[in-house]
Amino acid sequence: MKKRLGILISGRGSNFEAIADNAASGIIDAEVAVVIANRPEARGLESARQRGLNAVCLPSKGLDREIYDRQIVEELRKNSVDLVCLAGFMRLLSAGFIREFPNRILNIHPSLLPAFPGLDAQHQALAHGVKFTGCTVHFVDQDLDAGPIVMQAVVPVQDKDTVDTLSGRILEAEHEIYSRAINIVLDGSYRIEGRRVLLSDDLRG
Ligand code: GRF
């Protein structure tokens, strides 16, 4: 049976779309079981509906973190989700949520972690003057942008870059590595040693 993805979004949803496209075309060996947004205005929700996917809005505003996270976990369980993918989901997860899906929650961040965690990572990279930045897919733990790293891609910074141009090139790399990382995690072709996620050679690509 195909593995089932639960994708959590807060906004635009371009990473969700890339994952959905790759699942539909067989590049990812899984199906999108549910897309959950914590904001009713999240653009990705509409796009999920247009694709005929199960799109659910669970507004988080004003709710206690533990109570909200229990709602999400319930929705994910209802849809028999094997792997949770955060794709621009702008919330820290509670310990209770993380315990429900041990090493089964991924996030993508638009920098080479541990550089530039948190908001506006592309702006942080430009402001710092780095020559290379990129993106990171990592397992989620309770700290912000901090869990073991599954995959990274390097994006050179050009002198003429603005936040927009740099973000656009990073986003292209995000769309590529997120699906590759999902395949690795679903396939189980890795092991975690401390903070290191060690991949089988044939999958490194
Ligand atoms: C991406 O840059 C992702 O790395 C970050 O939030 C942004 C979400 O973009 N976590 P989108 O909603 O997937 O288009």
Side-chain angles (χ1 to χ4, degrees):
M1 220 179 75
K2 279 213 164 178
K3 294 280 175 62
R4 295 169 66 78
L5 303 177
I7 304 183
L8 307 192
I9 62 171
S10 294
R12 180 178 55 187
S14 74
N15 275 288
F16 144 66
E17 289 175 336
I19 293 167
D21 288 347
N22 286 338
S25 68
I27 292 173
I28 294 179
D29 192 17
E31 60 191 321
V32 177
V34 63
V35 181
I36 304 172
N38 70 318
R39 295 178 181 157
E41 69 277 13
R43 260 164 49 197
L45 266 183
E46 192 44 43
S47 137
R49 289 193 190 107
Q50 280 166 8
R51 285 157 198 262
L53 294 171
N54 179 18
V56 176
C57 181
L58 294 176
S60 56
K61 207 168 173 187
L63 286 186
D64 171 83
R65 186 179 308 283
E66 303 283 337
I67 291 172
Y68 181 69
D69 281 7
R70 274 204 290 277
Q71 290 181 14
I72 299 243
V73 167
E74 198 177 310
E75 191 62 41
L76 293 168
R77 290 286 180 222
K78 206 168 84 189
N79 286 284
S80 308
V81 162
D82 298 295
L83 180 66
V84 181
C85 302
L86 310 187
F89 188 63
M90 305 297 283
R91 289 177 61 83
L92 266 180
L93 305 188
S94 62
F97 189 153
I98 292 162
R99 264 198 311 272
E100 290 283 336
F101 293 92
N103 290 335
R104 276 285 176 269
I105 310 173
L106 292 176
N107 181 43
I108 185 142
H109 182 76
S111 75
L112 294 174
L113 291 171
F116 314 132
L119 291 176
D120 301 323
Q122 304 92 335
H123 170 77
Q124 292 185 56
L126 280 179
H128 198 87
V130 293
K131 301 297 183 191
F132 294 92
T133 181
C135 48
T136 303
V137 179
H138 63 94
F139 287 109
V140 172
D141 62 18
Q142 262 180 279
D143 297 321
L144 181 67
D145 301 326
I149 291 169
V150 181
M151 192 168 278
Q152 293 186 303
V154 176
V155 174
V157 179
Q158 296 168 3
D159 289 349
K160 59 180 190 309
D161 264 329
T162 62
V163 170
D164 279 352
T165 59
L166 182 59
S167 301
R169 291 204 313 288
I170 294 174
L171 204 57
E172 282 176 31
E174 291 184 37
H175 295 166
E176 195 199 319
I177 67 165
Y178 210 169
S179 293
R180 286 171 55 201
I182 288 169
N183 272 336
I184 285 167
V185 172
L186 287 177
D187 193 61
S189 319
Y190 68 96
R191 64 182 195 282
I192 302 180
E193 283 182 11
R195 283 201 47 85
R196 301 183 72 197
V197 179
L198 304 175
L199 310 182
S200 312
D201 281 344
D202 52 333
L203 275 167
R204 218 181 302 272

